[in-house]
Amino acid sequence: GAVVSQHPSRVICKSGTSVKIECRSLDFQATTMFWYRQFPKKSLMLMATSNEGSKATYEQGVEKDKFLINHASLTLSTLTVTSAHPEDSSFYICSARESGKENQPQHFGDGTRLSIL
Amino acid sequence: GQNIDQPTEMTATEGAIVQINCTYQTSGFNGLFWYQQHAGEAPTFLSYNVLDGLEEKGRFSSFLSRSKGYSYLLLKELQMKDSASYLCAVVDSNYQLIWGAGTKLIIKP
């Protein structure tokens, strides 16, 4: 079945570091990918919708200069957390939906646990 | 506004049956998903309903009533590994996925 690969799975770094997270659809093309953030014991929070070849659509309250998204190909989207601080520590999850199949389930990556010291 | 409601937490006994309800008010409807999420892991797809009725898949079944804005996930023969959060998500008229807050299911021996 369809698979989404996300890495790294865990990052621990110092405050002020920029961290890049990759999300790849392995056996399908994804015009649209989604980036979520999840705090402990809370539900998924959509941060932004990544669109191949165009600018990402950010949800209200999400700083686009802080969370840079690039979707340069139909199989890869990246999220860069710039100048990360301890409050950015969280579980980040990407998902992808196969192009042309809006009613199909999103396939999730395994998530990235980001810890900023 | 768009809203999805599901209970915060439920407790059930191993071997029993549990029903997790989800009600929604969204701008349009293009289907409803149920996902399972174990602690510290990403969600995994369980079921999809777009027409009224019951969809059965092994120990899990999902029901939809579009006129009532209501769905439930039914889990039979509960196992300890079913302890997880169950997320209800609705596809709205713009094909955006609207997520519920999730129901934490605790299974006791």
Side-chain angles (χ1 to χ4, degrees):
Chain A
V3 177
V4 172
S5 172
Q6 180 178 345
H7 74 89
S9 58
R10 186 174 181 95
V11 179
I12 302 173
C13 58
K14 295 180 179 179
S15 184
T17 307
S18 291
V19 178
K20 180 187 281 189
I21 304 170
E22 291 189 350
C23 182
R24 293 180 185 273
S25 57
L26 296 184
D27 58 358
F28 64 96
Q29 293 185 333
T31 308
T32 306
M33 292 186 177
F34 304 89
W35 288 96
Y36 295 88
R37 182 174 183 175
Q38 188 173 35
F39 291 103
K41 300 182 180 180
K42 299 293 184 183
S43 187
L44 296 172
M45 183 191 78
L46 179 66
M47 298 174 66
T49 302
S50 172
N51 304 298
E52 187 268 336
S54 64
K55 292 182 179 180
T57 304
Y58 289 82
E59 295 300 302
Q60 190 173 9
V62 178
E63 299 175 59
K64 53 184 166 184
D65 294 333
K66 174 75 172 177
F67 299 98
L68 299 178
I69 290 173
N70 184 280
H71 194 154
S73 78
L74 285 171
T75 59
L76 174 64
S77 175
T78 61
L79 168 68
T80 301
V81 184
T82 60
S83 187
H85 290 92
E87 58 267 27
D88 299 322
S89 298
S90 189
F91 190 47
Y92 293 87
I93 312 173
C94 75
S95 71
R97 187 171 63 200
E98 191 168 352
S99 299
K101 297 185 178 180
E102 285 76 12
N103 278 3
Q104 296 298 308
Q106 296 180 17
H107 302 282
F108 286 86
D110 289 336
T112 298
R113 190 160 301 283
L114 177 62
S115 300
I116 308 298
L117 305 177
Chain B
Q2 311 210 85
N3 192 50
I4 296 183
D5 288 314
Q6 47 181 133
T8 304
E9 187 173 297
M10 298 181 71
T11 302
T13 305
E14 189 177 14
I17 299 172
V18 71
Q19 178 175 310
I20 303 174
N21 296 325
C22 171
T23 58
Y24 62 89
Q25 298 100 35
T26 56
S27 56
F29 178 84
N30 280 299
L32 184 146
F33 292 99
W34 283 97
Y35 282 85
Q36 179 190 60
Q37 186 178 25
H38 285 99
E41 299 180 8
T44 55
F45 168 74
L46 288 179
S47 68
Y48 172 67
N49 294 71
V50 66
L51 299 176
D52 291 348
L54 187 68
E55 295 278 344
E56 297 186 77
K57 191 184 293 185
R59 293 190 299 115
F60 293 6
S61 303
S62 57
F63 172 83
L64 175 67
S65 169
R66 288 171 295 172
S67 62
K68 295 182 180 178
Y70 167 70
S71 172
Y72 67 73
L73 180 69
L74 190 72
L75 292 76
K76 302 177 184 176
E77 302 169 17
L78 287 170
Q79 301 174 11
M80 297 303 293
K81 66 178 182 180
D82 297 330
S83 293
S85 287
Y86 291 85
L87 306 173
C88 172
V90 172
V91 184
D92 72 6
S93 57
N94 294 320
Y95 291 96
Q96 297 297 311
L97 203 57
I98 312 299
W99 292 89
T103 299
K104 182 179 180 180
L105 178 62
I106 300 168
I107 309 298
K108 295 185 175 180

